[in-house]
Amino acid sequence: MIMTFLELVKLRQSNRAYQDKPVEREKIEQCLEAARLSPSSNNTQGWTFIVINDTELKNRVAKAAFRLWGAFVNQAPVIIALVAEKPLLITRFGVTVKKIDFTLLDMGIAATHICLQAAEIGLGSCMVESFDEKTVKSLLNVPDSRRIALLITLGYPADKQREKKRKTFDEVVRWNKY
Ligand SMILES: Cc1cc2nc3c(=O)[nH]c(=O)nc-3n(C[C@H](O)[C@H](O)[C@H](O)COP(=O)(O)O)c2cc1C
């Protein structure tokens, strides 16, 4: 099936139900290759992606996702943790002077690449911000000096395709002035 980029964008959704079916290693690697190639501020590439596919460990990580939003996390056969490495000096300059954390922007772009690549090869995904970072860091041996920006669930989806709920084009797009 040949898909346009916009069709792929519409296909990607936050999947909050998964089939009881493992994900092939090559498919996981393909998603991470898309992340590896994503752009970053000053080409910093300040990220490490931890693949959690050991079921027991994955279930313990899933337990650290807050219940309200995270009840589905343990259904996913794979979780990817996006670890933000120590920012370079130039990135720290951005945080202090411009008050923009470029490392986190970079993580968001990488996360998008993962989820779009997943959708293209028939996988479902969901970015998850609501988890107990301290617990997940200790489960994955992530040093104190690093942050886990996001978890991404990955698996064969079991939920239906939904219509996108979004603001209208005219609400969010302006031309030439605010
Ligand atoms: C940075 C970020 C963090 C998110 N964290 C969560 C989360 O903790 N739990 C969850 O169920 N969905 C989470 N989501 C998914 C959003 O709720 C979802 O993208 C939004 O409602 C739009 O729906 P769609 O992704 O299905 O198009 C997150 C999305 C982003 C971009």
Side-chain angles (χ1 to χ4, degrees), residues 74-142:
N74 71 333
Q75 268 189 27
V78 179
I79 299 174
I80 298 168
L82 277 65
V83 180
E85 293 300 327
K86 268 193 185 152
L88 296 181
L89 201 61
I90 192 150
T91 313
R92 290 210 290 272
F93 176 80
V95 176
T96 41
V97 176
K98 292 196 73 181
K99 307 274 185 254
I100 292 179
D101 187 342
F102 292 110
T103 306
L104 288 185
L105 275 182
D106 295 346
M107 303 304 276
I109 296 167
T112 305
H113 276 211
I114 291 174
C115 294
L116 286 171
Q117 177 58 83
E120 199 236 352
I121 55 179
L123 295 174
S125 67
C126 187
M127 296 182 204
V128 176
E129 72 196 356
S130 43
F131 60 93
D132 178 18
E133 188 185 355
K134 207 166 162 233
T135 305
V136 179
K137 271 168 97 168
S138 106
L139 285 169
L140 304 178
N141 293 338
V142 174

Side-chain angles (χ1 to χ4, degrees), residues 12-14 16 69 72 126-130 150 162 164 166:
R12 187 224 53 85
Q13 65 176 8
S14 295
R16 298 190 180 93
W69 279 90
F72 63 92
C126 187
M127 296 182 204
V128 176
E129 72 196 356
S130 43
L150 211 55
R162 300 181 302 268
K164 291 254 172 275
R166 295 294 192 268

